[in-house]
Amino acid sequence: MLTNDLDFRLEPRLKELYDDHKKRSAKIDWGYHEFLPWDKAMDFRRVPWDPSQVALPASIVTAIETALLTEVNLPWFTSHLAQTFRGSLTIIQDFVHTWTAEEDQHSNLLETYLLITRSVDPKRLHELHKMTVEHGWAPDFHTPFETMVYTSLQELATMVFYNNVAKEANKHDPDLGKLLRRLAKDETLHYAFYRDVIKFHLQLEPNYCYYLGHVIKNFQMPGAVMPDFDDRMAIIAKEANYGPLEYFDQVLDVIIKYWDIENLRPIAPEAEKARLDILKYHARMKRVKERFMRTQK
C-alpha cells in the first residue's frame, strides 16, 4: 500500500497552484478595519453592555459567535498543519504560512463586529474565547494526505457556512452580510488549493482512495470543541441556513463529484474497497436527506 504522504512528483504542479493562489489572493487582499461599522462603537466603561442593546436575532448571533469560536483556534490549526507537513513537500509548507496569514484576520473581524454592535455580552464572549482556545484541537489523523482531505472539506464547509448565514444576516444588517461574504472569498481560495492537491493525487494514483474514507465518513468541523456545539448547530440549522441538508448538498456531494470518486479505478483491493465504502456512505446520506425532504412536504 502507498505511503500516506504527498507525492513529490506533483510538486511542480502544486507550485503552479500556489502561485495562482497568491495572484488571486493579492487581487482581493483586505484589512478587517474596512468591513466594520465603526460609527456604532461605544466605550463599554462609559456605556455598560445591556441585553436590550442586541439588535440581531439570537440565531444570527449564535451563528457568528460559533464562527468566531472556530476561527480563534487558528494557533492550534497552524500547529497541527506545521507538524503534519514537516518533512513533506516544501510547497505545502509554504502554503500553510500563507494560509495562516490570510486566516489571521478572520477572528479579529468577527469578534470586533460582535463587540462594536454590542451583539454579545463582552465578558461572556471573553470567557468563551479563552475556554475554546484552552481546550485546543486534536484531530484523529496525523498524516499529510488525510490532513489535505480534511482541510478540503473544512474549507468548503466554512465557505458554505459563511455564504449561507450571510443571506439571513443581510436581512437584519447589510454590514454583517458583506463581512461574511468577504470571509467566504478567502475560504473559497483556500478550498480550491486543498481540493486540487487531492484531485492531482487521485489522478496520478487512484490507490490514494484508501486514505479518503476515514476522513470523509468521520468529518467534524474543528469548532466541535467549543461549549454547547451541538445545541449551537441545531439552532443554526433551523434558523440560520446551514445544517445537515446544506452540508450534504453543498459540501459532501460537491467534493465527491469533483474528485470523481465514482469513476476512479484503484488497483489495490483495499483502495477499491475504500472507494466503494465512500460511495455507499454518500448514497446512504442522500437517502436520509430525501426522506427528510419528503417529511417536509
Side-chain angles (χ1 to χ4, degrees):
M1 182 54 64
L2 291 168
T3 177
N4 191 356
D5 199 351
L6 302 178
D7 197 306
F8 72 92
R9 292 173 293 176
L10 287 170
E11 187 142 28
R13 293 185 72 184
L14 302 190
K15 186 177 186 307
E16 292 175 6
L17 269 185
Y18 180 49
D19 290 342
D20 183 56
H21 171 86
K22 290 207 293 186
K23 289 174 186 175
R24 294 170 67 191
S25 179
K27 291 178 182 178
I28 61 170
D29 192 26
W30 59 284
Y32 76 92
H33 62 281
E34 302 172 53
F35 293 89
L36 291 167
W38 294 105
D39 57 310
K40 297 179 182 177
M42 293 187 291
D43 188 338
F44 282 104
R45 293 167 297 182
R46 183 173 57 83
V47 184
W49 182 83
D50 185 270
S52 64
Q53 298 163 352
V54 179
L56 292 171
S59 58
I60 299 299
V61 173
T62 296
I64 306 310
E65 188 179 82
T66 301
L68 164 63
L69 295 176
T70 300
E71 298 282 6
V72 297
N73 255 338
L74 180 63
W76 292 104
F77 307 153
T78 299
S79 174
H80 173 73
L81 294 177
Q83 292 174 25
T84 299
F85 296 122
R86 184 177 292 118
S88 188
L89 302 185
T90 300
I91 195 64
I92 299 298
Q93 298 176 54
D94 291 342
F95 179 79
V96 169
H97 294 163
T98 297
W99 174 86
T100 300
E102 291 171 356
E103 289 277 347
D104 185 52
Q105 293 194 114
H106 292 190
S107 62
N108 288 334
L109 180 56
L110 294 169
E111 186 161 24
T112 307
Y113 171 85
L114 289 172
L115 293 173
I116 283 177
T117 59
R118 295 181 170 247
S119 297
V120 292
D121 178 346
K123 292 182 179 179
R124 174 180 169 275
L125 186 64
H126 168 71
E127 291 168 359
L128 286 172
H129 183 149
K130 185 177 179 182
M131 188 187 310
T132 301
V133 176
E134 282 183 338
H135 194 285
W137 180 69
D140 63 350
F141 49 86
H142 305 277
T143 55
F145 188 80
E146 286 177 313
T147 296
M148 295 299 274
V149 175
Y150 178 84
T151 50
S152 300
L153 286 163
Q154 185 261 323
E155 295 289 347
L156 176 55
T158 306
M159 178 197 80
V160 170
F161 176 91
Y162 283 139
N163 277 329
N164 288 12
V165 175
K167 294 174 184 176
E168 293 300 314
N170 204 62
K171 301 172 186 177
H172 308 281
D173 183 358
D175 285 334
L176 178 56
K178 182 179 179 181
L179 176 161
L180 293 171
R181 289 191 296 273
R182 172 60 268 183
L183 295 180
K185 287 184 179 180
D186 277 2
E187 309 298 6
T188 300
L189 294 187
H190 299 157
Y191 159 62
F193 180 87
Y194 290 124
R195 170 200 71 186
D196 287 342
V197 170
I198 297 301
K199 178 79 168 179
F200 291 164
H201 279 79
L202 292 171
Q203 290 173 336
L204 179 70
E205 178 49 82
N207 282 335
Y208 270 109
C209 276
Y210 180 76
Y211 302 109
L212 288 175
H214 173 66
V215 180
I216 290 176
K217 292 186 291 183
N218 296 281
F219 176 76
Q220 274 193 321
M221 288 295 285
V225 301
M226 72 183 66
D228 304 320
F229 179 75
D230 290 340
D231 292 340
R232 290 171 176 275
M233 293 311 297
I235 293 169
I236 293 167
K238 184 178 180 181
E239 302 180 47
N241 205 24
Y242 184 81
L245 298 182
E246 288 77 17
Y247 174 76
F248 177 84
D249 283 339
Q250 298 174 264
V251 181
L252 181 64
D253 195 48
V254 169
I255 203 70
I256 284 180
K257 288 176 180 175
Y258 188 84
W259 288 336
D260 198 23
I261 293 173
E262 185 172 357
N263 294 310
L264 291 175
R265 293 296 178 263
I267 297 174
E270 302 96 322
E272 175 62 6
K273 181 181 183 303
R275 185 186 74 87
L276 294 175
D277 285 346
I278 293 168
L279 294 176
K280 290 175 185 174
Y281 171 76
H282 175 261
R284 186 167 68 253
M285 293 301 101
K286 184 177 181 180
R287 289 194 297 272
V288 170
K289 173 214 161 181
E290 290 171 345
R291 282 199 301 270
F292 179 83
M293 295 301 292
R294 285 196 295 271
T295 65
Q296 303 305 300
K297 292 181 180 179

